[in-house]
Amino acid sequence: MKPSTNKLLFTVTDRIDDTEIGPRSVPLNLLGEFQKEVKEFLIGTTHDVDPKEVTVSIEDGSLAFVVSGFLVAASLLSDIEKLRTSHSLDHIDSKRAHVIERWQSASAQNPNRRYFVANKTTQLGFSVDSNSNYSRSDEIWVNVEKYLDGIVIDLGGKKDANVHLDVQGKILKISASRNLLAEEEKNRLYRPSIIRVTAEENLVTGDLRNYQLLSFETNCPTYDDDEFRRMVEKGTRAWSDVPDNWLEELRGGSA
């Protein structure tokens, strides 16, 4: 069975010297910027679409790209639907959100500028113009400690020491101290590893950034049923004298 493919329509409308732009008349810088932004929107941070599989045709009218030939990417279509039904950028791919912000900024400076993205088959999509109000919630980043499970594909560095960890196909660059890497006795390169890091986590999106290596874990953590039962019994004994209605009393008593 042949994999399902889809067609997407990307258009930009503008007037230059009182002339509508189109395939026969478009500023070179606008053509280059729009082509780059369409590619960035398609690929996203997770590279849902392989640019080598994409075919682009230019339609008459405003500058319109019809993108086809690629396999259907669920997250790409999902993000387009979210942008069609909501003005929040919090829950779409971060690279696509950046593209929308750039389009919105360009339209705010030029009321003639308008962008439109749609599924070519259903014609359902979204537009960005001078009246759009796509936005993100205030970003809050907190310091966290995490365990990462992946394969070390590179470590060291002449100038800045770091570890490159492949986590399910996504390459994370993790800063490290030279002393910590020098003291590591086990050869970690191209081997599965669990490492402990600090990072900053976005409370809205869950994204992580600014990784810092703390240690390589010597043993893979496993679930121990006996240990779990002992912990439950210990906790039960510790709470045995606490009344069942302790929460109501803490809140000031029942009504």
Side-chain angles (χ1 to χ4, degrees):
M1 181 177 178
K2 187 177 179 180
S4 177
T5 61
N6 205 0
K7 289 186 177 181
L8 296 178
L9 175 67
F10 292 81
T11 69
V12 56
T13 303
D14 201 348
R15 296 185 69 84
I16 306 296
D17 296 329
D18 205 32
T19 301
E20 190 83 19
I21 67 168
R24 295 180 178 83
S25 178
V26 57
L28 184 61
N29 65 328
L30 176 57
L31 177 62
E33 289 174 3
F34 189 53
Q35 178 181 344
K36 180 180 178 182
E37 289 163 344
V38 168
K39 179 180 177 181
E40 185 176 340
F41 189 93
L42 287 170
I43 294 175
T45 58
T46 56
H47 291 250
D48 293 329
V49 174
D50 184 352
K52 296 177 182 178
E53 298 178 351
V54 174
T55 301
V56 176
S57 61
I58 301 178
E59 291 192 343
D60 289 334
S62 57
L63 183 59
F65 291 168
V66 177
V67 180
S68 61
F70 60 92
L71 298 181
V72 171
S75 67
L76 171 60
L77 300 182
S78 174
D79 283 354
I80 291 176
E81 180 62 17
K82 290 174 184 176
L83 289 166
R84 187 180 74 85
T85 58
S86 169
H87 285 92
S88 172
L89 300 178
D90 289 337
H91 304 295
I92 68 168
D93 182 276
S94 59
K95 278 196 174 182
R96 293 182 185 123
H98 285 310
V99 172
I100 300 302
E101 289 172 332
R102 290 201 298 270
W103 286 352
Q104 188 163 262
S105 176
S107 298
Q109 299 175 41
N110 178 5
N112 293 321
R113 182 73 60 87
R114 178 179 180 270
Y115 299 87
F116 179 67
V117 179
N119 185 314
K120 182 68 173 175
T121 303
T122 64
Q123 290 297 312
L124 294 177
F126 66 92
S127 62
V128 180
D129 55 33
S130 58
N131 295 316
S132 298
N133 61 345
Y134 288 101
S135 63
R136 307 185 199 219
S137 302
D138 292 336
E139 294 188 340
I140 301 176
W141 295 85
V142 296
N143 294 323
V144 296
E145 187 174 304
K146 297 283 187 180
Y147 288 89
L148 303 177
D149 186 356
I151 298 176
V152 176
I153 61 172
D154 193 14
L155 74 166
K158 183 177 180 180
K159 184 177 180 181
D160 298 315
N162 53 64
V163 176
H164 291 192
L165 188 71
D166 185 340
V167 180
Q168 296 181 345
K170 183 177 182 180
I171 309 301
L172 303 181
K173 184 178 179 181
I174 302 162
S175 298
S177 71
R178 292 177 180 273
N179 290 339
L180 182 58
L181 295 183
E183 292 171 358
E184 178 59 32
E185 296 180 354
K186 185 177 181 180
N187 181 9
R188 300 284 180 176
L189 196 58
Y190 302 122
R191 288 177 168 82
S193 296
I194 294 179
I195 64 176
R196 185 166 63 98
V197 302
T198 59
E200 294 178 346
E201 182 173 11
N202 188 305
L203 289 183
V204 175
T205 65
D207 291 340
L208 296 172
R209 69 183 185 185
N210 298 333
Y211 297 94
Q212 180 69 45
L213 177 67
L214 292 179
S215 64
F216 289 97
E217 295 303 295
T218 55
N219 297 312
C220 296
T222 57
Y223 173 74
D224 188 325
D225 187 63
D226 292 336
E227 177 63 21
F228 177 74
R229 291 179 184 276
R230 285 193 294 270
M231 291 174 64
V232 171
E233 291 174 359
K234 183 178 179 181
T236 302
R237 289 194 300 270
W239 282 75
S240 60
D241 296 331
V242 179
D244 293 338
N245 63 338
W246 69 272
L247 183 59
E248 286 76 9
E249 292 182 357
L250 183 63
R251 290 173 174 172
S254 57

